[in-house]
Amino acid sequence: VYDASVTAFQNQSRRIIFEWRNDTFGGGPLAAAVDNINIKVSTCAKPTTLTAINVTSTNATLDWTEPASATNWEVAIMPLASAAVPTGAGTPVTTNSEYTPPIGTLTPGTQYVYYVRSVCGGGAGNSIWSGPFQFALKPANDECAQATVVLTNPDLNCTNFANGNITGSTASAQATTCGGTKDDDIWFEFVATHTAHNINLNNVTGSTTDLFHAVYSGSNCGALTQLYCSDPNNSVANNL
């Protein structure tokens, strides 16, 4: 779907041209075809400036700008993995150019997109869909104060462990000597039961697999002391 303002072309004859360029990558002059062309004039302006605000680990508010005078909209939310321009109606919205889904609709660790369209009514009908806008909830342990508790293991059999997901995570205020871009960290905490503990990040998957991990001491998130930072996924915390 492609849309463009045609105000400047009013009362003019215009042409649509499809240009095919073959770089012979497939080994020769490959054929091409364009069909099912549908040209629709819409007088109902679509929303602009899509964003997500007030994002937490449980919900987010989807916000947009109404470019004209519509007071009704429809919103469609879907996982990024199955994103597609909606073909049916969305969830009706009648409040302040924004929509907050019911608690429990969205799941931390999942990438979402949303589309929105204006409902102008009458002969103007609906606008075309605006979007997609991509967003994700914050993890529950996005900040130090909500760190996930991990029980230590009495031996080298790692029967106690915790899962983590940095999707939607944000930068924390605590200082660190770790490299990389400090914009997506999550927190765990443990009580040392020995003077040394092995720390392992196992089964790391996804688009970001080169992770640093830092170990801090202290119980006050505003006054932690960094003991070290490790780029390898395995490290030993000594002198605990």
Side-chain angles (χ1 to χ4, degrees):
V1 177
Y2 173 78
D3 67 281
S5 174
V6 295
T7 302
F9 307 138
Q10 189 171 1
N11 299 320
Q12 299 180 30
S13 297
R14 312 298 293 183
R15 294 182 176 87
I16 296 178
I17 299 173
F18 297 91
E19 182 176 322
W20 166 254
R21 295 186 180 183
N22 182 13
D23 60 4
T24 69
F25 179 78
L30 304 177
V34 177
D35 61 4
N36 297 328
I37 301 171
N38 186 306
I39 300 175
K40 178 183 178 181
V41 177
S42 175
T43 57
C44 182
K46 71 175 183 177
T48 61
T49 323
L50 277 61
T51 188
I53 60 176
N54 302 326
V55 179
T56 68
S57 62
T58 58
N59 216 343
T61 295
L62 311 180
D63 187 84
W64 59 89
T65 298
E66 168 54 43
S69 57
T71 57
N72 292 272
W73 303 267
E74 291 181 356
V75 172
I77 307 171
M78 60 198 74
L80 174 63
S82 57
V85 178
T87 57
T91 300
V93 178
T94 59
T95 306
N96 300 328
S97 303
E98 65 180 29
Y99 173 64
T100 302
I103 294 292
T105 302
L106 306 175
T107 303
T110 300
Q111 292 277 6
Y112 292 95
V113 300
Y114 82 92
Y115 294 82
V116 59
R117 68 180 177 184
S118 297
V119 179
C120 296
N126 302 331
S127 74
I128 64 172
W129 289 99
S130 183
F133 181 84
Q134 183 175 331
F135 71 100
L137 299 187
K138 294 180 180 179
N141 58 341
D142 185 47
E143 298 295 341
C144 170
Q146 289 78 45
T148 297
V149 176
V150 184
L151 299 177
T152 59
N153 291 281
D155 51 38
L156 295 180
N157 296 311
C158 294
T159 55
N160 296 324
F161 60 89
N163 296 319
N165 191 324
I166 63 173
T167 299
S169 61
T170 59
S172 297
Q174 286 75 11
T176 179
T177 60
C178 293
T181 302
K182 185 173 173 285
D183 61 354
D184 52 358
D185 54 70
I186 54 178
W187 288 81
F188 299 87
E189 68 174 72
F190 69 95
V191 175
T193 53
H194 295 278
T195 58
H197 282 285
N198 292 330
I199 297 176
N200 302 304
L201 306 184
N202 299 320
N203 304 318
V204 179
T205 61
S207 59
T208 302
T209 56
D210 183 10
L211 304 178
F212 290 87
H213 66 273
V215 178
Y216 296 83
S217 65
S219 57
N220 182 348
C221 288
L224 298 177
T225 300
Q226 180 180 304
L227 302 181
Y228 66 88
C229 177
S230 174
D231 188 4
N233 289 343
N234 305 312
S235 69
V236 179
N238 291 303
N239 302 316
L240 302 179

